[in-house]
Amino acid sequence: DMEVLLTDHPCPTPAVSFTIVKEGFDGGVAITASHNSAGYNGVKLKTDFGGSAEKAITDAVEAFIGKNPVQSKAFSPGSPVIRDLNERYLAFLKSYLRLDTIKNAPYRILIDSMHGVGAKNIEQVLSGGKISVQTIRGERDVTYGGYAPEPIPKNLVPSIEIMKKKEYDLCIATDGDADRVGAIRPGGEFISPGILLSLIMIHMVEDLKKTGSVVTTISNTVLIYKVARKLGLKVHETPIGFKYI
């Protein structure tokens, strides 16, 4: 028998990866449409290091499809173990962030969860202190309000319209399974993920004093290479897809 841990409610894909690594599981499964519309619901396979399974593994799993009839098994006490996977994941994020500094800054932050599993997680993490955090599209909607839950301008119309009023200092948007991010400036200008990643690189090197190199897919912005060169970091380029990273 396999030991199985099941989340008690929808949670971000990174929470699944985090749990695999921290608790020593052999793998994990996230059932999600990711950043696609609901009709494209699928399965993400995670290996023991928390990352996406490589093609050889997914091919092997797919080879079993249709080989045997689907079987069902009633839950028994304690099998599978069912609990909240968000709790420990969000606690880790809180320990990583400089929350005292962030919470005491008088910023007004808008969160657009795009009806995905990000829900009000960011608002809960940042709540308290002088900072003001408001979430929109945080409730469950299996149609994602008619938009694909990918944080790009054409799908962020509601939050862009709010940001045009300049009532908030920043908008952060997460996709359907909360493993992609986008942002919007006051006035409604979209901040691309490439810019966000570049800022994170600068932060990791200059503030956190991290060393190492950068791995990026060929779909990323050339800004990644320019910033890496400025910081003296070597860049490794891969095909598109988390599994190649």
Side-chain angles (χ1 to χ4, degrees):
D1 290 342
M2 292 187 294
E3 178 186 349
V4 176
L5 171 62
L6 182 66
T7 180
D8 64 354
H9 67 283
C11 68
T13 291
V16 176
S17 295
F18 173 84
T19 303
I20 291 170
V21 173
K22 290 297 182 181
E23 301 190 25
F25 281 90
D26 297 307
V29 178
I31 301 173
T32 175
S34 188
H35 58 286
N36 304 298
S37 55
Y40 290 89
N41 198 21
V43 175
K44 287 184 174 181
L45 298 180
K46 302 295 182 181
T47 58
D48 59 354
F49 67 91
S52 299
E54 61 186 39
K55 191 175 186 299
I57 295 176
T58 57
D59 285 347
V61 172
E62 290 173 4
F64 285 106
I65 296 176
K67 295 293 185 181
N68 297 291
V70 175
Q71 300 181 32
S72 62
K73 180 180 179 181
F75 284 15
S76 59
S79 180
V81 175
I82 302 174
R83 76 163 194 265
D84 182 358
L85 296 190
N86 258 1
E87 186 175 1
R88 192 175 179 189
Y89 170 62
L90 294 179
F92 164 76
L93 294 183
K94 289 180 180 179
S95 69
Y96 177 81
L97 298 171
R98 299 174 182 174
L99 281 180
D100 289 342
T101 300
I102 296 173
K103 288 184 176 183
N104 286 321
Y107 293 123
R108 300 161 298 170
I109 308 297
L110 180 70
I111 306 297
D112 186 350
S113 296
M114 305 190 78
H115 297 297
V117 296
K120 293 193 175 183
N121 286 340
I122 298 178
E123 180 177 331
Q124 292 170 358
V125 169
L126 297 181
S127 62
K130 297 178 181 178
I131 195 169
S132 171
V133 185
Q134 177 69 41
T135 301
I136 64 169
R137 299 199 285 182
E139 67 279 1
R140 182 175 183 266
D141 182 343
V142 296
T143 69
Y144 300 114
Y147 296 93
E150 181 179 10
I152 57 177
K154 70 177 183 178
N155 300 326
L156 295 174
V157 174
S159 45
I160 286 175
E161 290 301 314
I162 293 174
M163 291 301 291
K164 285 180 178 179
K165 300 176 183 178
K166 299 185 178 181
E167 296 175 355
Y168 294 91
D169 299 301
L170 176 68
C171 172
I172 300 171
T174 54
D175 76 329
D177 65 328
D179 66 355
R180 295 185 182 216
V181 66
I184 307 168
R185 299 176 189 271
E189 180 186 355
F190 179 70
I191 306 174
S192 73
I195 292 176
L196 295 178
L197 290 171
S198 298
L199 290 171
I200 291 171
M201 286 168 55
I202 294 171
H203 166 64
M204 293 183 73
V205 173
E206 295 186 351
D207 299 325
L208 302 182
K209 308 302 180 185
K210 298 288 186 179
T211 58
S213 55
V214 177
V215 182
T216 179
T217 67
I218 59 173
S219 63
N220 224 325
T221 171
V222 70
L223 183 62
I224 296 291
Y225 299 85
K226 291 182 176 180
V227 172
R229 185 165 57 247
K230 182 75 172 178
L231 296 173
L233 303 176
K234 182 178 180 179
V235 177
H236 303 274
E237 188 176 86
T238 76
I240 299 171
F242 287 133
K243 57 182 177 288
Y244 297 111
I245 293 179

